[in-house]
Amino acid sequence: MEYIHFTDEQKQRANSVDLVDFLQRQGEQLVRSGREWRWKRHDSVTVRGSQWFRHSRKEGGHSIDFVQQFYDMSFPEAVTLLLGGEFGVEWNQTSKSVPPPRKSFALPEANQDMRRVFAYLIKQRFIDREVLTHFAHEKLIYEDKKYHNAVFVGLDENGVPRHAHKRGTYTQGEPYKGNVEGSDPKYSFHRMGESDTLYVFEASVDMLSFITLNKDGWKQYSYVTLDGVSEHAMLCQLELNPHIKSVVLCLDHDEAGIEAVGRLKDILHEKGYRDISVMQSQYKDWNEDLKVKNGISPIPAREHPKLVLLPKVVSELHDLCKALATHKDIDSFLAECAQALKPLLASGKTAALNSEAVRECLQCMAAGSLTAMQRQLRQMEQPVTMEQLIQKLQDSYRPHEDRGWLRTKAEQLRQDVSNISRQLQTIGIRTLEDKEKLLSTYQLLALDCIKTIMFVEQELPSMLPVQEQAVNFFMTM
């Protein structure tokens, strides 16, 4: 698309388009989720007014980058679409989907007894009665009067309730769950002990289930729920309890949980914590493990699909690396691959129609990068086998860092190739630091090729129908 100049007012107008209105006009299904709307086709994506957030990858933004990400458009294409373009569409820009201003926090009125909550958590969730009784006596769990939900209370450092999560106790259908309006996410359901160990969970029932499964001496340890996968509650308790030195991440055994573990480990390392471990449930979460012990069929665990695919993608590089071992000018080979790949990644539709060629180019670039690394290390008198380099490449992959759609990945590949070219063209003798920097750039290019290959295999097939669906919609306007 040719360069188009947009005024600041036009860009602001495009970025304020209500995403609920935008998606609903294209026949997309949205489900209310508290103060937001969840996109049924991408169920980890929520929208609210002109804002969106993808919870599984902890990324989000506003209307323009939403269209860029999910409809694989360039910036000018996205802005043109949101401004109405030649179709004359007037999108809603008043954030009609945003609820009224948030109310101040107040706990729901308590019921006179906890019969329904005890029945639900003990008979349906198999939580140990003594454990549940302890939390009830501490007024951290109670039954609300109006709907008989189980209410899990989070206190601040002064013992004042600041957060409450409600979970329905009816056994028919999907139980209600949601936070009381005005809850502070830093103070979600938790209990602190004297030990230096903190166990971290996604939800209240997970935490109670884990304690039930590991009941011996449980009161000496500390426990916190994240009310999802956000780090705020964990960091708050670590700050308030400096005696805690060891953190055990006990999140769900699924894609979102696995990504969150990697992200939380990075955050903890940045905060100076070194004693970090992971405990993973055998089934989908700790309550499913508890159900199995009580004769109930569990929801199975789900491994991260990219971690499942990764060994296969990486193993396919072995033969290519052998074939390139005698190539005289590996850097020129990389440049040729990048040049051939560029038009293939011009758009999601182009890439989808040429997926096999895209894959082959990416494999050649990854293998070429590894071959260049091996030669550089040989010159530095640090010889390694190709098997070692391939294993290092696989070990360096982090699913929570693998974000963005095709356009983002194509830009990252372009930057990698440009950085390699610039470093190679630098005049003068390369220092050890220069050589190590070049090695890192080669590895980054190989890793970005692997990420893009996995995107091509897992995400690209679904992109072509989205493109066609958008086109069909506008053709009817």
Side-chain angles (χ1 to χ4, degrees):
M1 189 173 187
E2 294 182 3
Y3 172 77
I4 302 175
H5 174 71
F6 296 105
T7 65
D8 289 342
E9 186 274 334
Q10 285 177 312
K11 287 184 279 190
Q12 183 177 4
R13 189 152 47 90
N15 231 9
S16 67
V17 166
D18 188 280
L19 290 173
V20 174
D21 183 44
F22 176 85
L23 288 169
Q24 286 179 337
R25 290 209 207 182
Q26 300 189 62
E28 295 288 351
Q29 292 184 310
L30 300 168
V31 178
R32 192 83 194 198
S33 178
R35 298 172 63 81
E36 301 173 325
W37 295 81
R38 189 170 298 277
W39 189 5
K40 285 197 87 172
R41 187 154 56 82
H42 294 282
D43 61 4
S44 72
V45 176
T46 56
V47 295
R48 178 182 173 191
S50 65
Q51 295 179 304
W52 66 276
F53 193 75
R54 192 172 194 176
H55 297 265
S56 62
R57 299 184 183 181
K58 302 297 288 183
E59 62 184 3
H62 289 79
S63 303
I64 295 175
D65 47 36
F66 178 87
V67 174
Q68 286 183 271
Q69 285 272 25
F70 293 100
Y71 290 89
D72 191 43
M73 292 186 178
S74 65
F75 180 83
E77 289 170 338
V79 174
T80 300
L81 170 63
L82 292 167
L83 290 176
E86 62 188 52
F87 303 104
V89 181
E90 293 185 9
W91 308 105
N92 183 283
Q93 295 175 330
T94 59
S95 297
K96 67 176 183 180
S97 65
V98 180
R102 185 183 293 272
K103 299 177 182 178
S104 58
F105 175 77
L107 287 175
E109 184 179 356
N111 197 37
Q112 292 182 343
D113 59 58
M114 291 182 60
R115 285 183 297 174
R116 294 194 190 185
V117 166
F118 264 73
Y120 171 71
L121 291 176
I122 293 173
K123 295 181 180 179
Q124 300 296 323
R125 293 293 188 163
F126 306 105
I127 305 302
D128 181 86
R129 179 178 290 274
E130 290 183 10
V131 171
L132 183 54
T133 299
H134 172 84
F135 282 94
H137 284 165
E138 295 289 323
K139 300 187 184 305
L140 296 176
I141 300 177
Y142 72 93
E143 181 176 317
D144 80 45
K145 182 177 181 180
K146 188 173 182 179
Y147 298 108
H148 302 284
N149 294 312
V151 182
F152 301 90
V153 181
L155 308 177
D156 65 13
E157 57 269 32
N158 298 313
V160 177
R162 297 283 297 278
H163 186 283
H165 178 76
K166 298 182 292 183
R167 190 170 187 90
T169 56
Y170 294 100
T171 58
Q172 299 298 319
E174 185 68 22
Y176 167 79
K177 52 184 176 181
N179 294 333
V180 172
E181 192 166 5
S183 290
D184 187 334
K186 292 190 301 182
Y187 297 103
S188 60
F189 184 63
H190 64 276
R191 184 191 183 278
M192 309 311 291
E194 297 179 356
S195 165
D196 67 349
T197 301
L198 173 68
Y199 293 89
V200 182
F201 304 88
E202 290 191 27
S204 307
V205 172
D206 296 333
M207 173 178 146
L208 296 175
S209 300
F210 180 88
I211 293 172
T212 299
L213 290 164
N214 302 274
K215 193 178 171 185
D216 290 346
W218 72 271
K219 292 181 183 178
Q220 64 182 302
Y221 301 110
S222 297
Y223 310 86
V224 64
T225 64
L226 302 180
D227 194 22
V229 293
S230 177
E231 69 274 12
H232 303 301
M234 175 186 72
L235 294 180
C236 178
Q237 294 308 319
L238 289 173
E239 183 178 343
L240 294 174
N241 297 275
H243 68 281
I244 294 176
K245 307 298 180 186
S246 175
V247 180
V248 186
L249 301 173
C250 309
L251 277 62
D252 288 3
H253 195 155
D254 59 13
E255 181 177 350
I258 291 168
E259 287 198 13
V261 163
R263 185 178 57 81
L264 293 175
K265 286 172 74 173
D266 287 349
I267 292 171
L268 289 167
H269 278 299
E270 290 175 5
K271 298 290 184 181
Y273 291 89
R274 295 294 175 262
D275 188 0
I276 307 167
S277 56
V278 177
M279 288 185 70
Q280 203 169 45
S281 56
Q282 183 178 355
Y283 298 96
K284 193 263 182 186
D285 56 41
W286 297 103
N287 193 245
E288 298 303 318
D289 283 12
L290 190 54
K291 286 179 181 178
V292 170
K293 289 181 67 93
N294 288 273
I296 304 296
S297 297
I299 299 173
R302 288 183 57 195
E303 301 301 333
H304 197 292
K306 289 184 178 178
L307 290 177
V308 173
L309 179 60
L310 179 65
K312 172 183 174 291
V313 171
V314 170
S315 67
E316 292 172 349
L317 299 179
H318 284 271
D319 290 342
L320 275 172
C321 289
K322 288 180 181 178
L324 290 172
T326 57
H327 199 288
K328 293 182 179 180
D329 191 350
I330 202 68
D331 290 308
S332 294
F333 173 78
L334 284 175
E336 290 170 7
C337 289
Q339 196 64 28
L341 185 63
K342 185 177 179 181
L344 298 176
L345 297 183
S347 70
K349 185 174 182 179
T350 302
L353 292 171
N354 299 277
S355 58
E356 194 56 40
V358 170
R359 198 171 185 282
E360 289 177 4
C361 280
L362 290 166
Q363 286 177 326
C364 287
M365 286 179 69
S369 301
L370 293 173
T371 303
M373 284 182 68
Q374 188 179 41
R375 292 181 183 179
Q376 180 69 51
L377 286 165
R378 208 176 284 145
Q379 292 175 8
M380 297 168 64
E381 298 183 351
Q382 300 175 25
V384 295
T385 66
M386 186 55 70
E387 287 71 22
Q388 289 173 315
L389 283 178
I390 290 176
Q391 187 60 53
K392 182 181 179 183
L393 177 65
Q394 181 172 331
D395 293 343
S396 68
Y397 178 77
R398 302 285 184 272
H400 67 285
E401 296 175 346
D402 188 0
R403 298 177 180 176
W405 281 50
L406 188 64
R407 192 172 297 277
T408 304
K409 295 183 184 300
E411 176 59 23
Q412 186 60 56
L413 290 169
R414 188 198 65 77
Q415 289 181 11
D416 295 340
V417 173
S418 177
N419 288 339
I420 289 172
S421 177
R422 185 173 62 253
Q423 291 172 48
L424 290 173
Q425 292 173 10
T426 301
I427 300 173
I429 299 174
R430 287 187 205 150
T431 64
L432 178 60
E433 183 180 354
D434 293 334
K435 294 176 181 178
E436 289 177 345
K437 185 178 180 181
L438 181 59
L439 280 172
S440 297
T441 312
Y442 280 132
Q443 177 163 336
L444 181 59
L445 175 58
L447 183 59
D448 286 334
C449 287
I450 294 300
K451 291 178 180 178
T452 311
I453 290 171
M454 291 197 291
F455 181 91
V456 167
E457 292 209 8
Q458 293 185 325
E459 304 275 3
L460 204 56
S462 66
M463 293 181 69
L464 190 56
V466 171
Q467 292 282 335
E468 291 175 344
Q469 183 181 25
V471 171
N472 291 337
F473 165 72
F474 290 120
M475 292 299 288
T476 62
M477 294 299 295

mmCIF file of all heavy atoms in Angstrom, residues 192-216:
data_model
loop_
_atom_site.group_PDB
_atom_site.id
_atom_site.type_symbol
_atom_site.label_atom_id
_atom_site.label_comp_id
_atom_site.label_asym_id
_atom_site.label_seq_id
_atom_site.Cartn_x
_atom_site.Cartn_y
_atom_site.Cartn_z
ATOM 1 N N MET A 192 -0.878 -16.044 54.721
ATOM 2 C CA MET A 192 0.564 -15.990 54.939
ATOM 3 C C MET A 192 0.956 -16.777 56.184
ATOM 4 O O MET A 192 0.272 -16.741 57.211
ATOM 5 C CB MET A 192 1.028 -14.536 55.084
ATOM 6 C CG MET A 192 0.542 -13.624 53.960
ATOM 7 S SD MET A 192 0.812 -14.289 52.296
ATOM 8 C CE MET A 192 2.596 -14.200 52.225
ATOM 9 N N GLY A 193 2.073 -17.515 56.063
ATOM 10 C CA GLY A 193 2.599 -18.287 57.179
ATOM 11 C C GLY A 193 3.990 -17.817 57.566
ATOM 12 O O GLY A 193 4.506 -16.837 57.040
ATOM 13 N N GLU A 194 4.622 -18.543 58.492
ATOM 14 C CA GLU A 194 5.933 -18.138 59.004
ATOM 15 C C GLU A 194 7.088 -18.663 58.156
ATOM 16 O O GLU A 194 8.211 -18.165 58.255
ATOM 17 C CB GLU A 194 6.096 -18.624 60.448
ATOM 18 C CG GLU A 194 5.080 -17.994 61.410
ATOM 19 C CD GLU A 194 5.244 -18.519 62.830
ATOM 20 O OE1 GLU A 194 6.089 -19.417 63.032
ATOM 21 O OE2 GLU A 194 4.528 -18.030 63.718
ATOM 22 N N SER A 195 6.846 -19.666 57.350
ATOM 23 C CA SER A 195 7.900 -20.235 56.510
ATOM 24 C C SER A 195 8.391 -19.218 55.481
ATOM 25 O O SER A 195 7.729 -18.205 55.215
ATOM 26 C CB SER A 195 7.364 -21.476 55.797
ATOM 27 O OG SER A 195 8.200 -21.872 54.743
ATOM 28 N N ASP A 196 9.543 -19.499 54.870
ATOM 29 C CA ASP A 196 10.077 -18.593 53.846
ATOM 30 C C ASP A 196 9.605 -18.981 52.445
ATOM 31 O O ASP A 196 10.151 -18.504 51.447
ATOM 32 C CB ASP A 196 11.615 -18.574 53.893
ATOM 33 C CG ASP A 196 12.230 -19.902 53.473
ATOM 34 O OD1 ASP A 196 11.496 -20.901 53.336
ATOM 35 O OD2 ASP A 196 13.464 -19.942 53.283
ATOM 36 N N THR A 197 8.573 -19.842 52.351
ATOM 37 C CA THR A 197 8.111 -20.342 51.056
ATOM 38 C C THR A 197 6.707 -19.835 50.738
ATOM 39 O O THR A 197 5.801 -19.898 51.570
ATOM 40 C CB THR A 197 8.109 -21.880 51.033
ATOM 41 O OG1 THR A 197 9.431 -22.351 51.301
ATOM 42 C CG2 THR A 197 7.670 -22.407 49.667
ATOM 43 N N LEU A 198 6.548 -19.335 49.511
ATOM 44 C CA LEU A 198 5.250 -18.858 49.025
ATOM 45 C C LEU A 198 4.816 -19.713 47.841
ATOM 46 O O LEU A 198 5.555 -19.861 46.866
ATOM 47 C CB LEU A 198 5.349 -17.398 48.584
ATOM 48 C CG LEU A 198 4.115 -16.799 47.904
ATOM 49 C CD1 LEU A 198 2.966 -16.679 48.903
ATOM 50 C CD2 LEU A 198 4.432 -15.441 47.283
ATOM 51 N N TYR A 199 3.596 -20.281 47.912
ATOM 52 C CA TYR A 199 3.012 -21.054 46.812
ATOM 53 C C TYR A 199 2.030 -20.151 46.061
ATOM 54 O O TYR A 199 1.193 -19.485 46.678
ATOM 55 C CB TYR A 199 2.301 -22.293 47.348
ATOM 56 C CG TYR A 199 3.241 -23.324 47.954
ATOM 57 C CD1 TYR A 199 3.587 -23.284 49.304
ATOM 58 C CD2 TYR A 199 3.777 -24.330 47.164
ATOM 59 C CE1 TYR A 199 4.450 -24.218 49.858
ATOM 60 C CE2 TYR A 199 4.642 -25.282 47.701
ATOM 61 C CZ TYR A 199 4.971 -25.214 49.043
ATOM 62 O OH TYR A 199 5.833 -26.143 49.579
ATOM 63 N N VAL A 200 2.123 -20.164 44.740
ATOM 64 C CA VAL A 200 1.350 -19.245 43.903
ATOM 65 C C VAL A 200 0.378 -20.013 43.011
ATOM 66 O O VAL A 200 0.780 -20.974 42.330
ATOM 67 C CB VAL A 200 2.298 -18.397 43.026
ATOM 68 C CG1 VAL A 200 1.500 -17.399 42.190
ATOM 69 C CG2 VAL A 200 3.330 -17.675 43.892
ATOM 70 N N PHE A 201 -0.901 -19.593 42.981
ATOM 71 C CA PHE A 201 -1.954 -20.292 42.242
ATOM 72 C C PHE A 201 -2.747 -19.303 41.387
ATOM 73 O O PHE A 201 -2.724 -18.101 41.626
ATOM 74 C CB PHE A 201 -2.909 -21.001 43.201
ATOM 75 C CG PHE A 201 -2.215 -21.958 44.131
ATOM 76 C CD1 PHE A 201 -1.699 -21.513 45.342
ATOM 77 C CD2 PHE A 201 -2.053 -23.289 43.780
ATOM 78 C CE1 PHE A 201 -1.036 -22.384 46.193
ATOM 79 C CE2 PHE A 201 -1.388 -24.169 44.622
ATOM 80 C CZ PHE A 201 -0.875 -23.717 45.827
ATOM 81 N N GLU A 202 -3.474 -19.858 40.423
ATOM 82 C CA GLU A 202 -4.324 -19.014 39.588
ATOM 83 C C GLU A 202 -5.618 -18.642 40.303
ATOM 84 O O GLU A 202 -6.098 -17.525 40.176
ATOM 85 C CB GLU A 202 -4.648 -19.718 38.259
ATOM 86 C CG GLU A 202 -3.459 -19.834 37.324
ATOM 87 C CD GLU A 202 -3.854 -20.282 35.932
ATOM 88 O OE1 GLU A 202 -5.010 -20.017 35.526
ATOM 89 O OE2 GLU A 202 -3.023 -20.901 35.252
ATOM 90 N N ALA A 203 -6.216 -19.587 41.050
ATOM 91 C CA ALA A 203 -7.553 -19.352 41.601
ATOM 92 C C ALA A 203 -7.683 -19.936 43.003
ATOM 93 O O ALA A 203 -6.872 -20.768 43.436
ATOM 94 C CB ALA A 203 -8.614 -19.963 40.679
ATOM 95 N N SER A 204 -8.729 -19.507 43.688
ATOM 96 C CA SER A 204 -8.948 -19.887 45.088
ATOM 97 C C SER A 204 -9.138 -21.393 45.259
ATOM 98 O O SER A 204 -8.566 -22.005 46.169
ATOM 99 C CB SER A 204 -10.171 -19.148 45.628
ATOM 100 O OG SER A 204 -10.059 -17.763 45.424
ATOM 101 N N VAL A 205 -9.966 -22.009 44.396
ATOM 102 C CA VAL A 205 -10.217 -23.447 44.515
ATOM 103 C C VAL A 205 -8.936 -24.241 44.244
ATOM 104 O O VAL A 205 -8.698 -25.279 44.869
ATOM 105 C CB VAL A 205 -11.353 -23.880 43.566
ATOM 106 C CG1 VAL A 205 -11.500 -25.400 43.541
ATOM 107 C CG2 VAL A 205 -12.668 -23.234 43.994
ATOM 108 N N ASP A 206 -8.078 -23.745 43.348
ATOM 109 C CA ASP A 206 -6.776 -24.391 43.116
ATOM 110 C C ASP A 206 -5.957 -24.400 44.399
ATOM 111 O O ASP A 206 -5.360 -25.415 44.770
ATOM 112 C CB ASP A 206 -5.984 -23.643 42.032
ATOM 113 C CG ASP A 206 -6.665 -23.678 40.678
ATOM 114 O OD1 ASP A 206 -7.412 -24.632 40.416
ATOM 115 O OD2 ASP A 206 -6.448 -22.748 39.891
ATOM 116 N N MET A 207 -5.916 -23.267 45.064
ATOM 117 C CA MET A 207 -5.147 -23.138 46.299
ATOM 118 C C MET A 207 -5.672 -24.078 47.380
ATOM 119 O O MET A 207 -4.909 -24.804 48.038
ATOM 120 C CB MET A 207 -5.205 -21.687 46.775
ATOM 121 C CG MET A 207 -4.585 -21.418 48.129
ATOM 122 S SD MET A 207 -4.701 -19.644 48.516
ATOM 123 C CE MET A 207 -4.932 -19.695 50.289
ATOM 124 N N LEU A 208 -6.980 -24.123 47.587
ATOM 125 C CA LEU A 208 -7.562 -25.004 48.596
ATOM 126 C C LEU A 208 -7.358 -26.471 48.238
ATOM 127 O O LEU A 208 -7.147 -27.318 49.123
ATOM 128 C CB LEU A 208 -9.055 -24.705 48.748
ATOM 129 C CG LEU A 208 -9.415 -23.303 49.264
ATOM 130 C CD1 LEU A 208 -10.926 -23.116 49.238
ATOM 131 C CD2 LEU A 208 -8.872 -23.083 50.670
ATOM 132 N N SER A 209 -7.402 -26.779 46.956
ATOM 133 C CA SER A 209 -7.193 -28.156 46.507
ATOM 134 C C SER A 209 -5.759 -28.590 46.768
ATOM 135 O O SER A 209 -5.501 -29.714 47.230
ATOM 136 C CB SER A 209 -7.502 -28.287 45.012
ATOM 137 O OG SER A 209 -8.835 -27.928 44.742
ATOM 138 N N PHE A 210 -4.804 -27.716 46.486
ATOM 139 C CA PHE A 210 -3.396 -28.029 46.729
ATOM 140 C C PHE A 210 -3.149 -28.265 48.213
ATOM 141 O O PHE A 210 -2.444 -29.207 48.599
ATOM 142 C CB PHE A 210 -2.523 -26.877 46.224
ATOM 143 C CG PHE A 210 -1.049 -27.087 46.433
ATOM 144 C CD1 PHE A 210 -0.294 -27.755 45.479
ATOM 145 C CD2 PHE A 210 -0.414 -26.629 47.577
ATOM 146 C CE1 PHE A 210 1.076 -27.958 45.664
ATOM 147 C CE2 PHE A 210 0.938 -26.814 47.780
ATOM 148 C CZ PHE A 210 1.694 -27.491 46.813
ATOM 149 N N ILE A 211 -3.723 -27.405 49.040
ATOM 150 C CA ILE A 211 -3.550 -27.581 50.489
ATOM 151 C C ILE A 211 -4.144 -28.914 50.932
ATOM 152 O O ILE A 211 -3.561 -29.642 51.742
ATOM 153 C CB ILE A 211 -4.199 -26.404 51.251
ATOM 154 C CG1 ILE A 211 -3.434 -25.104 50.960
ATOM 155 C CG2 ILE A 211 -4.223 -26.674 52.752
ATOM 156 C CD1 ILE A 211 -4.103 -23.861 51.513
ATOM 157 N N THR A 212 -5.315 -29.269 50.392
ATOM 158 C CA THR A 212 -5.938 -30.549 50.725
ATOM 159 C C THR A 212 -5.052 -31.718 50.328
ATOM 160 O O THR A 212 -4.932 -32.714 51.067
ATOM 161 C CB THR A 212 -7.304 -30.663 50.011
ATOM 162 O OG1 THR A 212 -8.164 -29.605 50.459
ATOM 163 C CG2 THR A 212 -7.976 -32.005 50.293
ATOM 164 N N LEU A 213 -4.398 -31.619 49.188
ATOM 165 C CA LEU A 213 -3.503 -32.678 48.706
ATOM 166 C C LEU A 213 -2.183 -32.702 49.453
ATOM 167 O O LEU A 213 -1.482 -33.722 49.449
ATOM 168 C CB LEU A 213 -3.231 -32.491 47.210
ATOM 169 C CG LEU A 213 -4.400 -32.757 46.263
ATOM 170 C CD1 LEU A 213 -4.125 -32.158 44.883
ATOM 171 C CD2 LEU A 213 -4.654 -34.257 46.151
ATOM 172 N N ASN A 214 -1.819 -31.596 50.087
ATOM 173 C CA ASN A 214 -0.535 -31.479 50.804
ATOM 174 C C ASN A 214 -0.790 -30.903 52.196
ATOM 175 O O ASN A 214 -0.270 -29.845 52.561
ATOM 176 C CB ASN A 214 0.428 -30.587 50.015
ATOM 177 C CG ASN A 214 0.699 -31.097 48.612
ATOM 178 O OD1 ASN A 214 1.584 -31.922 48.395
ATOM 179 N ND2 ASN A 214 -0.061 -30.606 47.646
ATOM 180 N N LYS A 215 -1.594 -31.623 52.959
ATOM 181 C CA LYS A 215 -2.134 -31.074 54.200
ATOM 182 C C LYS A 215 -1.131 -31.033 55.353
ATOM 183 O O LYS A 215 -1.222 -30.163 56.221
ATOM 184 C CB LYS A 215 -3.358 -31.903 54.611
ATOM 185 C CG LYS A 215 -4.195 -31.267 55.710
ATOM 186 C CD LYS A 215 -5.404 -32.129 56.020
ATOM 187 C CE LYS A 215 -6.127 -31.618 57.258
ATOM 188 N NZ LYS A 215 -7.240 -32.502 57.644
ATOM 189 N N ASP A 216 -0.159 -31.924 55.358
ATOM 190 C CA ASP A 216 0.775 -31.985 56.485
ATOM 191 C C ASP A 216 1.535 -30.669 56.645
ATOM 192 O O ASP A 216 2.259 -30.236 55.738
ATOM 193 C CB ASP A 216 1.772 -33.128 56.291
ATOM 194 C CG ASP A 216 1.122 -34.498 56.440
ATOM 195 O OD1 ASP A 216 -0.021 -34.552 56.947
ATOM 196 O OD2 ASP A 216 1.731 -35.501 56.029
#
